[in-house]
Amino acid sequence: MNQPASNKSEPKLDTPPAVSAADAKPEAKPERSGRLSADDWAQAALDLIAEQGVAAVAVEPLARRLGVTKGSFYWHFPSRDALLVAALERWEKVEQETVFGQLEPIPDPRQRLRSLFHLVAHEVKSHIIYSELLKALDHPAVQPVIGRVSERRLDYLTASFRQAGLSRTDAQHRARLLYAAYVGFLQLNLQLHQTRMQHDEFEAYVEHMMATLIPSS
């Protein structure tokens, strides 16, 4: 993630209130004709991670899902681990482009943070993938990706809070507090199976988080 830009318009962001694995299930794909790309395989692996976790990624079930033979897989990847690395790199890149790329044009740091809160609060599938990756931190392909993503997120938040007027130390503390709240919320919803919030309750929670953590002008 790049550092937040200092002069850049708030996107409108809305989606469902909470997260569950069912929200991330992709639509059934028709049988394919023609050769699949490496990105097709990587995206299918991400879909499977969202549904069943990292351990579920395997060549044969993915080939069945995509309606092709295993030969299509080996055209692009030498092994299952190579596919997993490609899938994680795709997730990392798409997150950076779709989440932080949307925020770059917003000039006011408080407005940028509000947009980030709204976007992250409603980005269901990315949450589920992230939660599944946290469960698999002992995998050698997963840990470096989670490390890079977390570091970039914290750097971005710290820079935004600095631009919103906090001191360096306070900005770092606020960024850690916000990130810990985000990870904790995922744990409650996805791993501890907390009762799903109703829409109005969830939106009120997001507003409370923004009022609590974003510095007033």
Side-chain angles (χ1 to χ4, degrees), residues 21-75:
D23 293 320
K25 288 186 179 180
E27 296 180 1
K29 293 183 172 70
E31 187 165 333
R32 299 261 188 166
S33 59
R35 180 177 295 162
L36 295 175
S37 68
D39 279 347
D40 290 327
W41 281 96
Q43 185 57 55
L46 285 176
D47 292 341
L48 197 55
I49 289 172
E51 293 173 38
Q52 301 176 36
V54 172
V57 176
V59 178
E60 288 192 11
L62 284 171
R64 287 195 298 271
R65 171 181 294 239
L66 292 169
V68 296
T69 66
K70 290 191 295 183
S72 170
F73 170 82
Y74 290 108
W75 179 268

Side-chain angles (χ1 to χ4, degrees), residues 84-137:
L84 183 57
V85 168
L88 297 179
E89 288 176 348
R90 177 179 176 81
W91 173 73
E92 184 178 5
K93 178 183 177 184
V94 168
E95 183 204 57
Q96 185 170 350
E97 291 175 349
T98 59
V99 176
F100 290 89
Q102 290 186 54
L103 302 173
E104 285 299 319
I106 302 174
D108 181 78
R110 295 172 187 83
Q111 188 180 21
R112 190 186 315 126
L113 284 164
R114 287 186 63 85
S115 293
L116 177 61
F117 269 76
H118 281 296
L119 180 58
V120 170
H122 300 109
E123 190 62 39
V124 175
K125 187 169 185 177
S126 181
H127 293 331
I128 296 170
I129 293 173
Y130 182 69
S131 182
E132 291 297 336
L133 296 181
L134 288 178
K135 297 177 189 176
L137 279 176

